Amino acid sequence: MKIPLFPLGSTLFPDGLLALKIFEVRYLDMTKTCFKQQSPFGVVTLTEGPEVRVPGQGIEFSDIGTLAHITEFDAVQPSLFMLRCRGARRFKILERHLGANGAWSAEIELMDDDPEIDIPPELTPTSQALARLIASFEEQEIDPSERPFFEPFRLNDCGWVANRWAELLNIPPSQKQHLLSMENPRLRLDLVQEMLEEMGAFKPPR
């Protein structure tokens, strides 16, 4: 399977929400085609180099990424698109190709979806904290279009909860990429909870 790639400084997770402002010619053409054909592109995490093309400067990116499906497409101007995308399955890059216009594509192999695993009692603090955050969106009357998550909210599923926290946590791209690469969602959630504990997320307020 061959797909166009979009290397970014951020990491997209399955079922995650990605908002993009598209203005480079190589991505204007690519995203317009994907939207018309209802086909995905692949988001991969940059490990070296800038998001915006700089002549003469190369980039490096991870071999594991996530398919992105465009859910909203707004052509604000002929050279400016505003997109909202939803993460789908993860993939592994088998072979990468650089086009003449600086756009990347790759032959990929799709990875298995996370198995659904109920959250064990020892990891419920992480799920409960996410539930409180989601409830706060309602309390603050934040418009659904401005919220960082797609419904449905699967608050008892290890993979879904781990992925949403992985998107929110202020951690280096390399750590986010490590979480994305983990094939066991139970272990991924365990690592996320350790990070939250180190940040003091579960300490009672004074």
Side-chain angles (χ1 to χ4, degrees):
M1 179 179 180
K2 187 175 182 180
I3 61 168
L5 295 179
F6 201 138
L8 286 173
S10 55
T11 304
L12 177 64
F13 288 79
D15 287 320
L17 189 157
L18 177 67
L20 291 172
K21 180 188 292 185
I22 308 296
F23 54 88
E24 290 189 79
V25 173
R26 55 179 174 164
Y27 295 136
L28 289 168
D29 295 340
M30 181 263 280
T31 53
K32 183 187 293 185
T33 299
C34 286
F35 182 67
K36 285 183 177 179
Q37 298 179 354
Q38 291 295 290
S39 59
F41 58 89
V43 174
V44 287
T45 305
L46 280 166
T47 57
E48 185 178 325
E51 288 185 345
V52 178
R53 188 181 184 191
V54 177
Q57 185 171 353
I59 63 170
E60 296 292 337
F61 49 83
S62 301
D63 286 327
I64 293 179
T66 304
L67 295 179
H69 290 270
I70 300 171
T71 60
E72 295 180 27
F73 183 98
D74 185 7
V76 180
Q77 299 173 8
S79 58
L80 178 62
F81 302 160
M82 304 296 288
L83 310 181
R84 279 167 64 91
C85 308
R86 184 169 190 153
R89 289 179 68 176
R90 294 172 297 165
F91 61 84
K92 294 179 181 178
I93 292 177
L94 303 177
E95 187 176 343
R96 57 182 72 185
H97 310 277
L98 179 60
N101 65 347
W104 287 89
S105 61
E107 297 288 343
I108 65 163
E109 176 183 68
L110 293 176
M111 298 173 63
D112 291 336
D113 289 328
D114 282 337
E116 291 190 16
I117 300 176
D118 288 345
I119 293 177
E122 63 270 22
L123 294 178
T124 54
T126 304
S127 178
Q128 291 168 348
L130 188 62
R132 290 193 295 271
L133 178 62
I134 291 172
S136 73
F137 300 152
E138 296 286 347
E139 294 168 2
Q140 298 172 55
E141 298 182 347
I142 296 174
D143 190 275
S145 66
E146 299 297 324
R147 299 176 189 181
F149 308 137
F150 284 111
E151 294 188 41
F153 304 139
R154 303 203 310 272
L155 289 163
N156 196 42
D157 180 68
C158 282
W160 192 88
V161 173
N163 290 347
R164 302 295 74 79
W165 275 119
E167 293 161 356
L168 293 170
L169 287 172
N170 184 21
I171 55 177
S174 59
Q175 284 186 273
K176 289 183 184 264
Q177 184 64 33
H178 176 63
L179 290 169
L180 179 70
S181 303
M182 296 178 72
E183 297 195 34
N184 186 321
R186 166 67 175 75
L187 295 179
R188 190 185 314 139
L189 185 60
D190 190 60
L191 183 54
V192 165
Q193 180 154 300
E194 286 182 12
M195 293 178 181
L196 287 168
E197 287 172 346
E198 290 174 2
M199 296 174 184
F202 306 131
K203 292 179 181 178
R206 294 182 179 179

